[in-house]
């Protein structure tokens, strides 16, 4: 599905899946910069990775639950989404997982159920197979949880329902251990052992959550805290994998600024835990339904909600194969792609060392130059500095070494730890030279931004400070040139016009915001001008900070530099702090490095193609090859 992202003035369109070759090996230990971060939920897609495809599309269905039959066949149920009809628990079977037969509503009898009558549409039923028995777990409209028992050999036959097992339940599922002990699960992780015959509870229900001792050293803070107190909000289910018990549940976290309902998994040695921290195992998948495939591996149902703007489809059913990461956690396999975005299938271009906050400029010599934050959160003074890479084609990048080493800064750092962040490389055709803007974060003091100019007109310098010391307080400086002069953008949207010496400002400093008064990203802002329209980009965390959120590129547009800008929109999922630029062929790109658990890679430079929307529709002529 095409993702068209509209602003108030023009459209910035990020194309959908475009597959490319990927490196054979990428380091897996990549969460270096934040102690509360969980591990990658996705894995870098393999060279032959394919988007998840629907295996069931005969009927619009939600909350899908799938199980395997003893003969190798498949059985499926879920919330039937046909309007106006009342279906009870509707069933489908398949001999091969592709061709499905509708069995109609299950014929359920039991206390309070009128024989032969489909009394209501049950929401989110689930199906379990154990030996020769087939079980349907469901809650009626009053929240009464029941289990109906039938024959796995005759799923079209009669089912006998239990009495009400618990009131006020939803998203009910049944787990049967190897010894035949049954457990009822519901909500986001409530569990109770069942009495023999599954006709009643054998214990007081309890709520399952990650072992709180795991957070003693690094307790979550702020809005990270709730994600540590549960595995998910709904659809709790359990599966045994060897000697481990998998507890899965789903949650809409708000990442990507849309209703992404993701599957989370925690593991423990018993059905009661203690459980590991939750891991995001299947992005966009919806309510979990994990089952074992013919080859012994696990897969989860992929049944996204239609409110998810980045799902591959909705109200249909696919399967996401799962794999064990090197540290043992369960996550989506490299063979599949679960997100519909230009980012999901791309690959990094420089993997020789970690790079964050990448900046690319098309130089005066026709080559492209790249700079970025080195060493995780920046190398500490006096190590490192600003390093450049060069490319003629945006594919092959040559390391040309450091061009700046903490020189001529005119500032006394005393004994403070200082890290160099977010260097921006900028070619100025007006000044016929290159500029470097970079930030230094001084621990316990804050961040400041410097601006340097190449005295040779060459990208390798030498560079000298344009001011006596730092240019501004704040981080993420971005040089921008317009017809009327040279500007510096920094610190979440502040902007000022530089004087002729580039040592200070001519006139006031202002802040760029959208029509709602919001910053277009809290950091990492950049500007590009296309056909008289200004596009302002910025980085924003959407969803739980760092743990299960996304670090996305936001954008807004305006016909004037100072705005007002259109309401901010998401432009490049996982794009975060990067730079938009135009290449020699007139194409537009955005730099990214990967900074969240669903990015396809982490802390390596890559490029995302972007389209500028239909400017002619708003009276702006198309650009020619020269960009005019």
């Amino acid at each position: 599905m095409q993702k068209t992202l509209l602003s108030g003035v023009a459209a910035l369109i990020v194309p959908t899946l475009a597959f490319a070759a990927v490196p054979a090996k990428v380091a897996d230990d990549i969460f270096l910069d934040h102690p509360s971060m969980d591990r990658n939920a996705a894995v870098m897609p393999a060279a032959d990775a394919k988007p998840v495809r629907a295996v069931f599309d005969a009927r619009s269905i939600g909350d899908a639950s799938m199980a395997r039959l003893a003969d190798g066949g498949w059985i499926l149920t879920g919330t039937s989404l046909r309007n106006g009809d009342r279906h009870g628990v509707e069933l489908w079977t398949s001999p091969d997982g592709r061709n499905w037969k509708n069995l109609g509503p299950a014929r359920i009898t039991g206390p309070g159920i009128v024989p032969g009558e489909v009394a209501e549409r049950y929401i989110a039923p689930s199906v379990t197979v154990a030996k020769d028995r087939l079980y349907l777990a469901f809650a009626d409209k009053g929240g009464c949880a029941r289990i109906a028992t039938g024959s796995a050999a005759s799923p079209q036959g009669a089912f006998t329902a239990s009495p009400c097992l618990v009131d006020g339940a939803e998203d009910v599922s049944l787990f049967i251990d190897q010894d035949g002990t049954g457990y009822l699960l519901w909500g986001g992780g409530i569990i109770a052992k069942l009495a023999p015959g599954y006709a009643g509870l054998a214990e007081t229900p309890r709520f399952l959550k990650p072992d709180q001792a795991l957070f003693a050293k690094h307790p979550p803070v702020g809005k990270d805290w709730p994600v540590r107190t549960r595995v998910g909000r709904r659809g709790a289910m359990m599966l045994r994998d060897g000697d481990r018990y998998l507890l899965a549940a789903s949650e809409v976290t708000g990442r990507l600024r849309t209703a992404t309902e993701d599957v989370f998994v925690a593991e423990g040695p018993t059905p009661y835990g203690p459980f590991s921290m939750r891991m995001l195992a299947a992005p966009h998948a919806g309510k979990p339904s994990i089952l074992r495939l013919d080859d012994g591996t696990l897969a989860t149902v992929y049944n996204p909600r239609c409110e998810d703007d980045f799902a591959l489809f909705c109200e249909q059913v696919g399967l996401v194969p799962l794999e064990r990461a090197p540290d043992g956690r369960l996550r989506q396999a490299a063979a599949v792609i679960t997100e519909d975005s230009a980012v999901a299938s791309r690959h990094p271009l420089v993997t020789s060392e970690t790079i964050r906050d990448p900046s690319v400029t098309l130089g005066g010599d026709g080559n492209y130059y790249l700079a970025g934050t080195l060493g995780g959160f920046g190398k500490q003074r006096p190590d490192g500095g600003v390093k450049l890479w060069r490319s003629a084609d945006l594919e092959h990048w040559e390391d040309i070494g450091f061009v700046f080493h903490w020189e001529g800064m005119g500032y006394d750092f005393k004994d403070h730890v200082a890290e160099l962040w977010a260097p921006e490389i900028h070619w100025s055709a007006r000044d016929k030279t290159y500029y470097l803007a970079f930030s230094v974060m001084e621990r316990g003091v804050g961040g400041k931004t410097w601006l340097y100019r190449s005295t040779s007109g060459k990208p390798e310098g030498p560079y000298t400070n344009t001011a006596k010391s730092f240019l501004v307080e704040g981080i993420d400086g971005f040089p921008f040139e317009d017809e009327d002069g040279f500007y510096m953008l920094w610190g979440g949207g502040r902007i000022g016009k530089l004087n002729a010496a580039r040592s200070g400002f001519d006139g006031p400093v202002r802040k760029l915001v959208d029509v709602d008064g919001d910053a277009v990203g809290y950091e990492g802002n950049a500007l590009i001008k296309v056909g008289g329209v200004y596009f302002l980009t910025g980085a924003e965390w959407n969803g739980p900070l760092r743990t299960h959120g996304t670090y996305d590129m936001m954008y807004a547009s305006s016909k004037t530099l100072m705005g007002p800008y259109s309401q901010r929109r998401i432009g490049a999922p996982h794009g975060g702090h990067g730079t938009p630029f135009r290449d020699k062929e007139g194409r537009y790109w955005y730099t990214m490095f990967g900074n969240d658990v669903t990015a396809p890679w982490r802390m390596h430079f890559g490029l995302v193609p972007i389209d500028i929307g239909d400017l002619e529709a708003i009276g702006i002529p198309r650009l020619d090859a020269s960009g005019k």
Side-chain angles (χ1 to χ4, degrees), residues 34 142 166 196 230 233 278 331 356 406 506 604 613:
H34 197 278
V166 64
R230 58 182 179 262
R233 286 195 176 276
R278 78 180 196 175
R331 66 182 183 186
R356 300 170 65 97
W406 301 92
D506 279 340
H604 291 305

Side-chain angles (χ1 to χ4, degrees), residues 384-612:
V386 179
K387 179 188 277 193
L388 293 184
W389 285 260
R390 177 171 52 214
S391 175
D393 57 8
L394 294 179
E395 283 289 334
H396 305 91
W397 292 86
E398 173 193 5
D399 184 341
I400 62 176
F402 285 93
V403 298
F404 169 77
H405 288 278
W406 301 92
E407 299 134 347
M409 301 184 71
Y411 182 79
D412 182 7
F413 290 98
K414 301 178 181 178
D415 60 351
H416 299 149
V417 174
E419 300 157 330
L420 194 150
W421 289 3
E424 290 282 346
I425 176 76
H426 173 76
W427 162 252
S428 171
R430 174 190 283 120
D431 293 354
K432 295 183 174 57
T433 194
Y434 292 83
Y435 286 88
L436 291 177
F438 59 84
S439 303
V440 175
M441 180 58 72
E442 193 178 3
R443 299 248 182 112
V445 177
K448 299 174 176 64
T449 293
W450 277 258
L451 181 65
Y452 275 64
R453 177 195 293 116
S454 172
T455 58
S456 67
K458 297 179 180 179
E460 59 267 28
Y463 285 86
T464 60
N465 195 348
T466 64
K468 293 181 180 180
S469 183
F470 58 88
L471 182 68
V472 295
E473 292 201 24
I475 63 172
D476 296 345
F478 180 83
F480 175 72
E481 289 189 82
D482 207 356
E483 286 84 353
D484 68 340
F486 200 121
Y487 293 81
M488 177 64 76
L489 176 68
W490 81 98
R494 283 176 286 177
I495 189 170
K497 186 177 181 182
L498 293 170
N499 58 28
R502 317 305 187 215
S503 61
F505 296 107
D506 279 340
V509 169
R510 301 177 61 179
K511 184 170 182 178
L512 305 182
V513 296
D514 73 1
V515 292
D516 295 328
D518 294 327
V520 182
Y522 80 102
E523 65 179 6
N525 288 118
L527 277 163
I528 190 171
K529 188 177 182 181
V530 181
V533 176
Y534 297 87
F535 289 95
L536 173 64
T537 64
E540 188 67 72
W541 278 99
N542 293 307
L545 179 63
R546 298 188 184 277
T547 51
H548 294 121
T550 46
Y551 188 63
D552 304 314
M553 180 267 271
M554 311 298 293
Y555 84 98
S557 60
S558 173
K559 290 186 177 180
T560 62
L561 175 59
M562 297 301 171
Y565 281 79
S566 62
Q567 189 176 61
R568 65 179 186 166
R569 299 285 189 270
I570 187 170
H574 321 286
H577 183 165
T579 301
F581 70 96
R582 182 178 180 273
D583 70 13
K584 291 179 284 190
E585 283 72 45
R587 300 169 300 183
Y588 289 89
W589 301 88
Y590 189 78
T591 65
M592 69 163 285
F593 65 95
N595 195 35
D596 62 65
V597 296
T598 49
W601 72 84
R602 289 267 306 171
M603 292 198 294
H604 291 305
F605 160 67
L607 289 173
V608 181
I610 58 176
D611 262 346
I612 306 299

Side-chain angles (χ1 to χ4, degrees), residues 133-153:
R133 310 307 291 166
L134 178 62
Y135 301 93
L136 304 176
F138 59 93
D140 62 26
K141 62 183 179 181
C144 177
R146 300 177 188 239
I147 294 172
T149 305
S151 168

Side-chain angles (χ1 to χ4, degrees), residues 57-69:
D57 58 5
R59 174 83 55 79
S60 292
I61 192 172
D63 309 314
S65 175
M66 191 181 289
R68 301 300 304 274
L69 297 169

